[in-house]
């Protein structure tokens, strides 16, 4: 069978199945032959591992994962891709593709059912319109995964891998730092996709900490605080949090003093330790 990175074959298989890529579903398929093998290898696709993929497209990465790992389970939203996948992945017996929305799917259950007695990793070229919420979901649901290796837009990669307490950071930066460590693996130019998107991409990897390291007493308060803070990141954090938690501004100033912080500080200037400390003071005041 011809390779899916062969643009003539890709176009032929798509048109034979009456398939056209959808912008709104973030469909940009990898056609650079060096990308998927590299992603699969760095993404822990190997013996002993089950790999969860989100968004198969025509199966170009799925294939490389299935060649190397014990099993691949993937969630794909676009029903119109299924006849194509039937053809492109026909030689593999260790792939299960589920029709569904990865944002709504019970991924924990899927992992428990599909990957018994295997280590688990996520490896995917994500649909970019849901990059942050999807990564947040993967992290917050505490899925038993060792690594999350994903292709994202270059700007998103910068944000995900930024240090907490830097201007490039965001709510997702804090979430990533809370659960693990993110590093950029390699850049991927826009010409590596069909159709080519307007931006370059990068593959990043989040390595999950095996256990919690931050000793946050109340995760709900911590993440509510982080979300509220970054939604108005240029404002003074104490004012933003007073509104978000229904506490008077005067009282919130005292909360900040208790945490050893200036009430005029912005969230993007705080380190992880400072955020944790502040969340304890906020939780105590809003209890
Ligand atoms: N992995 C493939 C395709 C990447 S494009 C490749 O690298 O070539 C992103 C894929 O995600 C598309 O196939 C799109 O249909 C799918 N997708 C978009 N939104 C989704 C969602 N909410 N849940 C699952 N898959 C989704």
């Amino acid at each position: 069978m011809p390779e899916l990175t062969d643009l003539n074959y890709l176009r032929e298989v798509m048109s034979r199945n009456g398939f056209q890529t959808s912008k709104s579903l973030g469909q940009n398929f990898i056609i650079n032959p060096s990308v998927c093998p590299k992603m699969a290898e760095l993404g822990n696709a190997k013996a002993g591992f089950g790999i969860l993929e989100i968004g198969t497209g025509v199966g170009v990465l799925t294939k490389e994962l299935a060649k190397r790992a014990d099993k691949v389970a993937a969630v794909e939203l676009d029903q119109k891709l299924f006849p194509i996948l039937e053809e492109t992945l026909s030689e593999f017996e260790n792939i299960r593709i589920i029709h569904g929305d990865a944002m709504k799917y019970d991924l924990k259950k899927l992992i428990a059912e599909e990957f018994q007695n295997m280590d688990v990793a996520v490896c995917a070229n994500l649909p970019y319109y849901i990059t942050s919420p999807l990564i947040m979901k993967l992290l917050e649901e505490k899925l038993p995964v060792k690594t999350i290796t994903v292709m994202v837009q270059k700007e998103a990669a910068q944000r995900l891998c930024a240090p907490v307490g830097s201007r490039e950071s965001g709510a997702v930066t804090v979430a990533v730092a809370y659960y693990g460590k993110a590093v950029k693996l390699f850049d991927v130019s826009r010409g590596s996709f069909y159709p080519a998107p307007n931006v370059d991409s990068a593959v990043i990897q989040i390595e999950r900490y095996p256990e919690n390291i931050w000793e946050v007493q109340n995760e709900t308060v911590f993440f509510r605080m982080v979300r509220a803070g970054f939604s108005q990141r240029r404002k003074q954090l104490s004012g933003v949090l007073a509104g978000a938690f229904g506490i008077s501004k005067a009282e919130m100033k005292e909360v900040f003093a208790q945490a050893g912080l200036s009430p005029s500080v912005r969230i993007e200037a705080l380190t992880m330790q400072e955020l944790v400390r502040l969340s304890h003071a906020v939780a105590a005041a809003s209890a």
Side-chain angles (χ1 to χ4, degrees):
M1 197 186 288
E3 293 296 330
L4 281 164
T5 49
D6 174 345
L7 192 51
N8 287 327
Y9 173 62
L10 177 62
R11 285 215 183 97
E12 188 271 317
V13 94
M14 282 174 33
S15 80
R16 185 155 38 78
N17 285 278
F19 180 84
Q20 283 181 324
T21 54
S22 146
K23 242 192 180 151
S24 62
L25 285 178
Q27 290 175 342
N28 301 97
F29 303 148
I30 298 173
I31 51 164
N32 177 336
S34 70
V35 171
C36 293
K38 201 161 150 188
M39 249 186 110
E41 257 151 46
L42 296 170
N44 271 322
K46 59 186 176 196
F49 270 81
I51 306 289
L52 173 66
E53 187 189 6
I54 289 151
T56 58
V58 294
V60 63
L61 176 61
T62 321
K63 220 173 185 173
E64 298 303 325
L65 297 170
K67 278 186 203 167
R68 295 169 174 84
D70 287 359
K71 191 168 184 187
V72 179
V75 181
E76 169 57 56
L77 181 59
D78 191 351
Q79 182 81 65
K80 295 202 293 296
L81 284 166
F82 281 67
I84 297 181
L85 290 163
E86 196 118 321
E87 172 177 336
T88 58
L89 302 176
S90 59
E91 62 190 285
F92 295 94
E93 285 177 356
N94 60 342
I95 299 175
R96 164 129 193 258
I97 301 176
I98 291 132
H99 178 225
D101 181 342
M103 281 305 297
K104 298 185 187 140
Y105 209 82
D106 186 344
L107 299 172
K108 205 170 216 173
K109 191 159 153 241
L110 179 69
I111 287 174
E113 284 169 1
E114 298 293 327
F115 299 139
Q116 282 166 24
N117 303 318
M118 291 176 221
D119 285 325
V120 183
V122 174
C123 192
N125 172 13
L126 291 184
Y128 291 169
Y129 72 103
I130 43 171
T131 299
S132 286
L134 204 50
I135 290 179
M136 291 289 238
K137 174 178 157 91
L138 296 174
L139 293 168
E140 284 178 4
E141 290 183 356
K142 300 186 177 29
L143 303 179
V145 301
K146 293 245 180 320
T147 52
I148 298 173
T149 308
V150 283
M151 174 100 66
V152 299
Q153 287 184 359
K154 218 167 171 180
E155 294 71 40
Q158 263 156 19
R159 178 150 287 189
L160 287 161
C161 300
V164 174
S166 70
R167 288 201 63 178
E168 301 79 48
S169 69
V172 77
T173 315
V174 177
V176 167
Y178 183 76
Y179 292 105
K181 218 174 155 33
V183 290
K184 186 163 98 173
L185 297 181
F186 58 95
D187 289 319
V188 181
S189 70
R190 63 194 78 183
S192 298
F193 300 86
Y194 177 81
N198 296 325
V199 290
D200 292 320
S201 294
V203 175
I204 65 126
Q205 183 164 67
I206 302 167
E207 197 176 331
R208 288 279 320 253
Y209 296 131
E211 54 207 77
N212 263 344
I213 64 163
W214 293 108
E215 301 184 337
V216 164
Q217 288 158 10
N218 186 327
E219 282 185 0
T220 311
V221 168
F222 180 80
F223 283 110
R224 218 172 116 198
M225 192 185 92
V226 168
R227 282 211 177 85
F230 279 104
S231 72
Q232 300 182 67
R233 57 186 301 149
R234 305 269 171 245
K235 292 202 179 151
Q236 295 190 0
L237 184 58
S238 60
V240 176
L241 294 187
F245 284 88
I247 297 173
S248 75
K249 282 192 177 165
E251 201 185 333
M252 193 52 90
K253 277 188 180 164
E254 296 206 352
V255 170
F256 271 62
Q258 258 170 40
L261 298 171
S262 154
S264 64
V265 77
R266 294 173 181 182
I267 191 156
E268 62 191 22
L270 297 183
T271 63
M272 201 66 184
Q273 285 84 354
E274 288 169 331
L275 287 169
V276 173
R277 219 161 62 219
L278 182 59
S279 80
H280 294 163
V282 170
S286 61

